Amino acid sequence: MTSGATEFTFAPRDGATLMTMVQWGFPSDELRDEHGRGVPHAFDRLERAL
């Protein structure tokens, strides 16, 4: 099974920082789609914690 990869880039944007995350290498479309549904919620939780 391929574990995939994740790449983050950070760029200044209007006095803040824009973070872009790109992921690839999911072993199936279903796993990719499932992960895509969960990641935005994880970032929301992180933002609340910070």
Side-chain angles (χ1 to χ4, degrees):
M1 177 187 287
T2 303
S3 62
T6 304
E7 176 181 279
F8 291 91
T9 58
F10 300 87
R13 170 81 50 98
D14 299 325
T17 302
L18 173 67
M19 180 185 78
T20 303
M21 180 178 77
V22 178
Q23 295 183 294
W24 63 92
F26 290 100
S28 69
D29 291 347
E30 292 80 15
L31 185 58
R32 179 204 60 211
D33 294 347
E34 179 181 323
H35 191 75
R37 286 189 295 274
V39 168
H41 300 293
F43 285 124
D44 289 343
R45 290 191 304 271
L46 177 61
E47 182 179 29
R48 286 193 301 272
L50 296 175

